[in-house]
Amino acid sequence: MIEILISLFVLSGSLLSLIGSLGIIRLPDTYSRMHAATKSSTLGVILLILGTFTYFLAEGNFSLQLLITIIFVFLTAPVAAMIISRSAHRNGVELWSRTKHDELMESYPEHLEPERDNEKADKP
């Protein structure tokens, strides 16, 4: 029974990591790719580590390092992606052409708004 649980953790983690990889290749802009890289891949890595933890626990070895790794990945990957996305936005990386609303642009004070390429063309 424990082998089935371990297999489910590893297979689902691998599948989610594959979906995240395909999202990085297929999605149209930096922000969508960042979303794919963090959401599905983070959960995929956590499930893989959880499968590894369960395997060693079934063998009689408790691994605190694996639990700490799960917590570390869970906390750091989304925060790092958010910081990278904000940095890309602030440096003027273009949104996808079909993006309807840019909420992040509204949060900038007027003197800190990033210049977009199409705005540069409008100015004399």
Side-chain angles (χ1 to χ4, degrees):
M1 183 66 183
I2 195 76
E3 291 87 9
I4 294 172
L5 182 65
I6 293 168
S7 298
L8 285 175
F9 282 146
V10 171
L11 287 174
S12 59
S14 300
L15 181 65
L16 283 171
S17 295
L18 176 68
I19 290 170
S21 301
L22 292 175
I24 291 171
I25 294 170
R26 300 279 302 159
L27 291 173
D29 67 344
T30 303
Y31 309 103
S32 300
R33 291 177 185 151
M34 188 68 65
H35 182 76
T38 55
K39 299 296 180 186
S40 59
S41 298
T42 300
L43 184 57
V45 168
I46 287 174
L47 286 172
L48 284 169
I49 297 170
L50 194 60
T52 306
F53 175 77
T54 308
Y55 172 77
F56 284 118
L57 192 62
E59 295 291 319
N61 297 326
F62 179 77
S63 178
L64 184 62
Q65 290 91 354
L66 289 174
L67 289 178
I68 291 172
T69 303
I70 290 172
I71 294 168
F72 181 76
V73 169
F74 184 73
L75 293 176
T76 58
V79 172
M82 188 264 313
I83 291 171
I84 292 169
S85 294
R86 280 185 171 250
S87 175
H89 190 271
R90 185 160 270 175
N91 285 317
V93 174
E94 291 294 320
L95 297 169
W96 185 34
S97 60
R98 292 187 184 174
T99 301
K100 303 257 186 241
H101 186 69
D102 185 3
E103 291 180 9
L104 195 54
M105 184 65 83
E106 295 170 358
S107 68
Y108 291 133
E110 193 170 310
H111 67 284
L112 292 177
E113 286 186 11
E115 287 191 24
R116 302 284 182 210
D117 289 336
N118 55 3
E119 292 174 2
K120 291 177 186 174
D122 294 341
K123 292 182 181 178

